[in-house]
Amino acid sequence: MITPGPPPEAERLPQRQVALIDLLDRLLTGGVVLTGDVVLSIADIDLVRVSLRALIVSISEQNPSPWTSTSPLRGDHDS
Amino acid sequence: MSDLLTYAYAVVRAAGGLQEAAAPLRGVADAPVGLVTDTGVVQLGLVVSHVPAQDFREDALKRHLEDLEWLEAVARAHHGVIEALAERTTVLPLRLATVYLDDQRAREVLSAGRTVFAERLARLSEHVEWGVKIYVEPSEVPAAPAVPAADLTPGRAYLRNRRQQQSVRDTVYQAAQKAAERVETAGRKHAADRVRHRVQQGFLAEAAGSAAGENVVNDAYLVPLNRCDDFLADVTRAADGLDGVRVEATGPWAPYSFAMPPGESGGTAEGAPP
């Protein structure tokens, strides 16, 4: 059984409603990671329970790059 | 300190007419979208808008991210801007909520990463991302005709039913495996790259509506524009003849999942440590 997934070109409206979960798959794990002045560092996104384990890290001398360090929220496995 | 911060959506090649294309767009917090450009040989632009500092400072962001409605609004606004621009030029999407103190800081970051961005944009040019998900629906497989259980003791009847259910499940998962192989073959044939996302489960997956069944594969493929039709044709045929398996393609997406080479994106689903 097949779902006709992609709509034909003509139906590609800019505002077509995409499923939030597909969007979050991409926006939270994809994309270029640049060190912003305010950085959203997603340590462990748990889309399973929609509890977003999110951590915001500011760039400073003490904390130059959140991307190379291991996630401080690892081990947060309460369920 | 200013009460506005600069929210960045994507890096783009600063093609002619882009400024005009960006001007009518509305981004996060319904703010007008603009272009911050650098002055290098390869002229690049950072697509930005301004967001209220009180909502996007660290403590506020952290709080907001627990709020699904807020997150959805930002995600859709972010996506809306990227999607609109992707129709005109190659975009390099940034991860959600990349925020700078002001445009000048954004320009500095753009200049610092110029080489990498130009390289990456060249690679993504004329490519789009397609999502391919495979679902299994064991319940949709017609069960074996029920044999009258009269000649069996209740215990035996129960065991036989269980065995039947189990075998239906096994069959369906094998079918899903087969569909996955067909999708992979299509990918190897037509796509430039693939990324695995974690399978979709839970509340949001259910909220997606049509997505009944269990998601067993959630991949993204980077496909050259001129191969999209062939890729989709092959992918949508992947479940042919396989009962209880459903293949769903989403897209075309801006190349979110391929914005950075594997290993540099800071935690794609595949590269994440256990």
Side-chain angles (χ1 to χ4, degrees), chain B residues 168-180:
Chain B
V168 166
R169 274 179 67 82
D170 288 350
T171 314
V172 170
Y173 281 101
Q174 277 163 17
Q177 180 69 39
K178 195 158 191 177

PDB file of all heavy atoms in Angstrom, chain B residues 168-180:
ATOM      1  N   VAL B 168       2.516 -13.332  11.746  1.00  0.00           N
ATOM      2  CA  VAL B 168       2.097 -12.184  10.946  1.00  0.00           C
ATOM      3  C   VAL B 168       3.054 -11.022  11.173  1.00  0.00           C
ATOM      4  O   VAL B 168       3.509 -10.365  10.242  1.00  0.00           O
ATOM      5  CB  VAL B 168       0.652 -11.766  11.297  1.00  0.00           C
ATOM      6  CG1 VAL B 168       0.346 -10.387  10.739  1.00  0.00           C
ATOM      7  CG2 VAL B 168      -0.321 -12.787  10.744  1.00  0.00           C
ATOM      8  N   ARG B 169       3.399 -10.811  12.447  1.00  0.00           N
ATOM      9  CA  ARG B 169       4.333  -9.730  12.763  1.00  0.00           C
ATOM     10  C   ARG B 169       5.671  -9.934  12.064  1.00  0.00           C
ATOM     11  O   ARG B 169       6.208  -9.025  11.450  1.00  0.00           O
ATOM     12  CB  ARG B 169       4.572  -9.664  14.271  1.00  0.00           C
ATOM     13  CG  ARG B 169       3.548  -8.839  15.025  1.00  0.00           C
ATOM     14  CD  ARG B 169       3.865  -8.878  16.497  1.00  0.00           C
ATOM     15  NE  ARG B 169       5.124  -8.190  16.807  1.00  0.00           N
ATOM     16  CZ  ARG B 169       5.207  -6.866  16.958  1.00  0.00           C
ATOM     17  NH1 ARG B 169       4.138  -6.116  16.839  1.00  0.00           N
ATOM     18  NH2 ARG B 169       6.356  -6.303  17.244  1.00  0.00           N
ATOM     19  N   ASP B 170       6.169 -11.159  12.171  1.00  0.00           N
ATOM     20  CA  ASP B 170       7.457 -11.440  11.536  1.00  0.00           C
ATOM     21  C   ASP B 170       7.404 -11.176  10.043  1.00  0.00           C
ATOM     22  O   ASP B 170       8.298 -10.567   9.471  1.00  0.00           O
ATOM     23  CB  ASP B 170       7.874 -12.894  11.787  1.00  0.00           C
ATOM     24  CG  ASP B 170       8.305 -13.109  13.227  1.00  0.00           C
ATOM     25  OD1 ASP B 170       8.444 -12.093  13.941  1.00  0.00           O
ATOM     26  OD2 ASP B 170       8.482 -14.268  13.626  1.00  0.00           O
ATOM     27  N   THR B 171       6.332 -11.632   9.435  1.00  0.00           N
ATOM     28  CA  THR B 171       6.188 -11.447   7.993  1.00  0.00           C
ATOM     29  C   THR B 171       6.204  -9.966   7.640  1.00  0.00           C
ATOM     30  O   THR B 171       6.863  -9.546   6.690  1.00  0.00           O
ATOM     31  CB  THR B 171       4.848 -12.043   7.514  1.00  0.00           C
ATOM     32  OG1 THR B 171       4.714 -13.330   8.103  1.00  0.00           O
ATOM     33  CG2 THR B 171       4.807 -12.156   6.020  1.00  0.00           C
ATOM     34  N   VAL B 172       5.488  -9.180   8.445  1.00  0.00           N
ATOM     35  CA  VAL B 172       5.396  -7.762   8.143  1.00  0.00           C
ATOM     36  C   VAL B 172       6.754  -7.072   8.299  1.00  0.00           C
ATOM     37  O   VAL B 172       7.139  -6.241   7.487  1.00  0.00           O
ATOM     38  CB  VAL B 172       4.335  -7.095   9.034  1.00  0.00           C
ATOM     39  CG1 VAL B 172       4.400  -5.594   8.914  1.00  0.00           C
ATOM     40  CG2 VAL B 172       2.961  -7.583   8.640  1.00  0.00           C
ATOM     41  N   TYR B 173       7.480  -7.463   9.347  1.00  0.00           N
ATOM     42  CA  TYR B 173       8.789  -6.834   9.529  1.00  0.00           C
ATOM     43  C   TYR B 173       9.762  -7.245   8.431  1.00  0.00           C
ATOM     44  O   TYR B 173      10.604  -6.451   8.001  1.00  0.00           O
ATOM     45  CB  TYR B 173       9.356  -7.133  10.918  1.00  0.00           C
ATOM     46  CG  TYR B 173       8.720  -6.250  11.964  1.00  0.00           C
ATOM     47  CD1 TYR B 173       7.706  -6.714  12.785  1.00  0.00           C
ATOM     48  CD2 TYR B 173       9.110  -4.916  12.086  1.00  0.00           C
ATOM     49  CE1 TYR B 173       7.094  -5.892  13.704  1.00  0.00           C
ATOM     50  CE2 TYR B 173       8.502  -4.080  13.010  1.00  0.00           C
ATOM     51  CZ  TYR B 173       7.489  -4.572  13.817  1.00  0.00           C
ATOM     52  OH  TYR B 173       6.883  -3.739  14.725  1.00  0.00           O
ATOM     53  N   GLN B 174       9.631  -8.479   7.981  1.00  0.00           N
ATOM     54  CA  GLN B 174      10.476  -8.887   6.856  1.00  0.00           C
ATOM     55  C   GLN B 174      10.121  -8.090   5.609  1.00  0.00           C
ATOM     56  O   GLN B 174      10.999  -7.689   4.841  1.00  0.00           O
ATOM     57  CB  GLN B 174      10.315 -10.386   6.586  1.00  0.00           C
ATOM     58  CG  GLN B 174      11.182 -11.238   7.494  1.00  0.00           C
ATOM     59  CD  GLN B 174      10.736 -12.685   7.523  1.00  0.00           C
ATOM     60  OE1 GLN B 174       9.984 -13.118   6.645  1.00  0.00           O
ATOM     61  NE2 GLN B 174      11.193 -13.414   8.518  1.00  0.00           N
ATOM     62  N   ALA B 175       8.829  -7.868   5.427  1.00  0.00           N
ATOM     63  CA  ALA B 175       8.392  -7.072   4.275  1.00  0.00           C
ATOM     64  C   ALA B 175       8.943  -5.654   4.379  1.00  0.00           C
ATOM     65  O   ALA B 175       9.391  -5.071   3.383  1.00  0.00           O
ATOM     66  CB  ALA B 175       6.867  -7.057   4.201  1.00  0.00           C
ATOM     67  N   ALA B 176       8.936  -5.107   5.605  1.00  0.00           N
ATOM     68  CA  ALA B 176       9.459  -3.757   5.802  1.00  0.00           C
ATOM     69  C   ALA B 176      10.948  -3.723   5.468  1.00  0.00           C
ATOM     70  O   ALA B 176      11.443  -2.761   4.870  1.00  0.00           O
ATOM     71  CB  ALA B 176       9.234  -3.311   7.238  1.00  0.00           C
ATOM     72  N   GLN B 177      11.633  -4.763   5.869  1.00  0.00           N
ATOM     73  CA  GLN B 177      13.059  -4.872   5.571  1.00  0.00           C
ATOM     74  C   GLN B 177      13.280  -4.823   4.054  1.00  0.00           C
ATOM     75  O   GLN B 177      14.176  -4.141   3.556  1.00  0.00           O
ATOM     76  CB  GLN B 177      13.583  -6.201   6.148  1.00  0.00           C
ATOM     77  CG  GLN B 177      15.055  -6.452   5.923  1.00  0.00           C
ATOM     78  CD  GLN B 177      15.897  -5.494   6.743  1.00  0.00           C
ATOM     79  OE1 GLN B 177      15.547  -5.188   7.892  1.00  0.00           O
ATOM     80  NE2 GLN B 177      16.971  -4.995   6.158  1.00  0.00           N
ATOM     81  N   LYS B 178      12.427  -5.520   3.375  1.00  0.00           N
ATOM     82  CA  LYS B 178      12.543  -5.571   1.918  1.00  0.00           C
ATOM     83  C   LYS B 178      12.283  -4.188   1.307  1.00  0.00           C
ATOM     84  O   LYS B 178      13.007  -3.751   0.412  1.00  0.00           O
ATOM     85  CB  LYS B 178      11.521  -6.581   1.379  1.00  0.00           C
ATOM     86  CG  LYS B 178      11.769  -6.996  -0.034  1.00  0.00           C
ATOM     87  CD  LYS B 178      11.088  -8.328  -0.301  1.00  0.00           C
ATOM     88  CE  LYS B 178      11.528  -8.915  -1.620  1.00  0.00           C
ATOM     89  NZ  LYS B 178      10.921 -10.243  -1.826  1.00  0.00           N
ATOM     90  N   ALA B 179      11.244  -3.526   1.831  1.00  0.00           N
ATOM     91  CA  ALA B 179      10.943  -2.177   1.341  1.00  0.00           C
ATOM     92  C   ALA B 179      12.135  -1.257   1.595  1.00  0.00           C
ATOM     93  O   ALA B 179      12.507  -0.449   0.747  1.00  0.00           O
ATOM     94  CB  ALA B 179       9.695  -1.638   2.019  1.00  0.00           C
ATOM     95  N   ALA B 180      12.743  -1.400   2.782  1.00  0.00           N
ATOM     96  CA  ALA B 180      13.886  -0.557   3.130  1.00  0.00           C
ATOM     97  C   ALA B 180      15.037  -0.795   2.156  1.00  0.00           C
ATOM     98  O   ALA B 180      15.717   0.147   1.734  1.00  0.00           O
ATOM     99  CB  ALA B 180      14.330  -0.844   4.557  1.00  0.00           C
TER     100      ALA B 180
END
